[in-house]
Amino acid sequence: EYADIPLVIRGLRKEYADGFVAVSRVDFEVHRGQVVGLLGPNGAGKTTTLRVLMGLTQPTAGEIHVFGHRLVPGSPVLSRIGALVEGPGFLPHLTGIANLRSYWRATGRPLADAHFDEAIEIAGLGDSIHRRIKTYSHGMRQRLAIAQAMLGLPELLVLDEPTDGLDPPQIAEMRRVLRRYATGGRAVLVSSHLLAEVEQSCTHAVVVNKGVIVAAGPVEEIVGESPSVQFDVSDP
Ligand code: ATP
């Protein structure tokens, strides 16, 4: 069951120690080839949902299946998920490629050179990968962070607000990166609080508000038919 589906979430609930329910009922799926946007205003529960997926926090209830394997602490299937963690600590005096290599060595996992090259290629870093990071723009740093999440070419890529702080050309580049990544049967789950961004970057959208899913489906349907969605997720 679900063996070929990158992600199936059923009845996810997360109540924090102080009793606050950040996610009260979340169900959705991410299939191969899809770029799914988890869309909602600040505080909707997006980060909490993604942190559960990355194994960083335990759900209070519900089940997560990654390629048919139940996700539990220490699941080997976590290695099939690539994640962008907040503010990865790059070493500014080293080149982009040196940073990626040192990160990967620390994971202790084997990696083919071809995978390395493909991740860098998809991230659109080009020759700047051989420059020191201190010369990078914010957008390039962000793409390096994404390249890091893509090393090993995980079949499911999970990114929390990857376009935060980027300017429009950088956002357009990020959009191409995500689309490229999802081709060839991989899948991407990305959070955002901007409807326009999800509309342009994603094939599907899951709209979450106050810990509950209020709409889900192909992005054309979500954007076209739901004025309430637009109202709910518009920037304050
Ligand atoms: P943002 O875009 O601001 O990150 P979000 O949709 O990702 O929003 P979450 O970060 O998941 O939302 O937070 C959902 C709610 O859970 C927020 O109201 C937040 O204050 C609360 N919350 C997050 N972490 C904790 C915690 N450790 N303990 C208690 N409440 C928390």
Side-chain angles (χ1 to χ4, degrees):
E1 201 189 7
Y2 307 144
D4 201 44
I5 309 179
L7 180 65
V8 176
I9 299 182
R10 295 278 179 257
L12 185 69
R13 178 180 173 88
K14 175 66 185 181
E15 188 174 331
Y16 284 109
D18 61 3
F20 186 83
V21 179
V23 173
S24 69
R25 187 171 181 89
V26 161
D27 301 79
F28 68 92
E29 299 182 1
V30 176
H31 291 246
R32 291 184 186 273
Q34 294 181 346
V35 179
V36 177
L38 186 60
L39 176 67
N42 289 339
K46 306 183 297 294
T47 300
T48 298
T49 301
L50 298 188
R51 286 178 56 84
V52 170
L53 281 180
M54 297 169 190
L56 297 174
T57 186
Q58 293 310 307
T60 310
E63 290 184 7
I64 298 174
H65 299 265
V66 176
F67 295 105
H69 299 275
R70 179 94 187 261
L71 192 70
V72 290
S75 294
V77 77
L78 271 169
S79 69
R80 293 173 78 173
I81 306 178
L84 174 65
V85 287
E86 312 110 56
F90 291 130
L91 298 169
H93 58 286
L94 294 185
T95 62
I97 187 83
N99 269 276
L100 294 185
R101 289 199 183 283
S102 105
Y103 165 81
W104 195 264
R105 262 196 307 276
T107 69
R109 292 165 56 196
L111 180 72
D113 278 346
H115 284 189
F116 233 90
D117 295 345
E118 190 172 345
I120 291 165
E121 158 80 25
I122 297 172
L125 286 159
D127 286 343
S128 52
I129 196 74
H130 299 294
R131 282 174 27 206
R132 288 161 188 256
I133 294 196
K134 62 184 179 192
T135 68
Y136 279 25
S137 66
H138 178 61
M140 284 165 60
R141 273 172 198 256
Q142 192 65 352
R143 286 211 297 284
L144 186 69
I146 305 259
Q148 180 171 294
M150 297 189 313
L151 290 175
L153 304 177
E155 295 154 280
L156 174 62
L157 186 64
V158 176
L159 308 172
D160 194 7
E161 306 251 4
T163 57
D164 228 23
L166 301 189
D167 61 26
Q170 291 168 340
I171 291 173
E173 179 58 32
M174 186 65 72
R175 195 178 297 149
R176 285 190 286 275
V177 169
L178 301 186
R179 293 278 187 155
R180 272 202 297 271
Y181 196 76
T183 60
R186 293 184 291 245
V188 179
L189 174 63
V190 55
S191 71
S192 173
H193 60 278
L194 298 173
L195 178 71
E197 189 175 299
V198 168
E199 181 180 8
Q200 290 166 14
S201 315
C202 301
T203 61
H204 292 71
V206 174
V207 186
V208 61
N209 198 11
K210 298 186 176 128
V212 177
I213 290 182
V214 295
V219 84
E220 318 80 73
E221 291 176 17
I222 301 298
V223 172
E225 294 171 14
S226 308
S228 62
V229 166
Q230 299 193 30
F231 175 75
D232 281 341
V233 300
S234 61
D235 248 358

